[in-house]
Amino acid sequence: MDVKIEEGWKEVLADEFDKPYFSILTSFVRKEYQTATCYPPAKLIFNAFNLCPFNDVKVVLLGQDPYHEPGQAEGLCFSVAPGIAMPPSLVNIFKEINTDLGLPFPADGSLKRWASQGVFLLNATLTVRAHEAGSHQRKGWEEFTDRVVKELSDRHQGLVFILWGGFAKKKGAVIDRKKHLVLEATHPSPLSANRGGFFGCKHFSKANAYLVQNGKTPIEW
């Protein structure tokens, strides 16, 4: 199947696109977009891959589901388009960055600037029906993104994987922790972040320190 995706990713995932489950997934997603409002916009489904080429990845941040309200999702986990109010989880992420690194809150919630620096912002499920969280789960996306995480672990050296919450931690089971730094904490959503474990995790400074130790440019969070 010819999937419009960055060439490095296309080469690594070529055989995945030809598997029967991916054909079924593609048919499901196409029908959903034709018959219902879905997010992100179809042209942005693989935005995380296109904005962060496979060979440029330095940090991997795992999310679960795209935002499901109008104008929010732009194909990058936790990120919202400029002009859209920041969701609570994203606000908490910026609070931790402020505490950890002393950086001010940004003008908007788009994380494209992270992606351009090698932060791969992957949701486990890449699409969702409007107003229905989790509506495209267990349709095949998870199998696809499991393969993505495994290829990153197997083919790279010295990546930082940031796993927030139980779901991300489970998805990180395939990561080779001898080759990469894995940072884990509770999820930044208010329900879990305020119970402790996210605030004060210092994942942003820890990630940069590890990148520098491995001869890579730190991220401007």
Side-chain angles (χ1 to χ4, degrees), residues 11-204:
E11 181 178 342
V12 168
L13 299 170
D15 64 321
E16 200 73 14
F17 296 135
D18 290 330
K19 291 180 178 178
Y21 90 87
F22 196 84
S23 177
I24 294 168
L25 169 63
T26 301
S27 296
F28 166 77
V29 171
R30 187 177 292 119
K31 185 175 180 180
E32 282 286 283
Y33 273 76
Q34 289 171 349
T35 59
T37 300
C38 296
Y39 300 120
K43 65 181 180 181
L44 299 182
I45 291 173
F46 292 104
N47 207 23
F49 300 81
N50 293 328
L51 293 181
C52 188
F54 183 79
N55 293 329
D56 295 346
V57 176
K58 295 190 288 188
V59 178
V60 181
L61 180 56
L62 288 180
Q64 187 166 355
D65 224 28
Y67 294 124
H68 51 80
E69 296 302 326
Q72 290 182 313
E74 57 176 8
L76 308 170
C77 73
F78 294 106
S79 179
V80 290
I84 300 296
M86 296 183 196
S89 292
L90 187 55
V91 171
N92 284 341
I93 289 169
F94 289 136
K95 282 182 181 178
E96 176 59 23
I97 290 173
N98 175 256
T99 302
D100 186 12
L101 298 172
L103 297 175
F105 267 59
D108 60 62
S110 177
L111 303 181
K112 285 182 180 179
R113 58 195 175 82
W114 292 5
S116 67
Q117 298 177 74
V119 181
F120 182 52
L121 298 156
L122 178 68
N123 274 317
T125 303
L126 299 188
T127 57
V128 68
R129 188 182 282 211
H131 319 302
E132 296 181 35
S135 50
H136 287 185
Q137 291 177 5
R138 295 176 293 280
K139 301 295 184 182
W141 280 129
E142 293 90 346
E143 183 175 346
F144 173 70
T145 52
D146 279 349
R147 169 71 185 276
V148 169
V149 174
K150 189 169 189 334
E151 290 295 339
L152 285 165
S153 176
D154 290 353
R155 294 180 185 243
H156 281 277
Q157 183 80 33
L159 297 183
V160 180
F161 288 86
I162 298 178
L163 312 179
W164 294 329
F167 182 88
K169 292 173 187 176
K170 287 179 184 176
K171 201 163 185 70
V174 298
I175 299 167
D176 184 345
R177 296 175 187 233
K178 295 177 183 176
K179 293 171 58 182
H180 308 286
L181 176 65
V182 178
L183 299 172
E184 298 183 345
T186 56
H187 196 276
S189 69
L191 285 174
S192 51
N194 294 328
R195 289 202 300 263
F198 177 75
F199 291 124
C201 68
K202 299 187 180 298
H203 281 180
F204 304 97

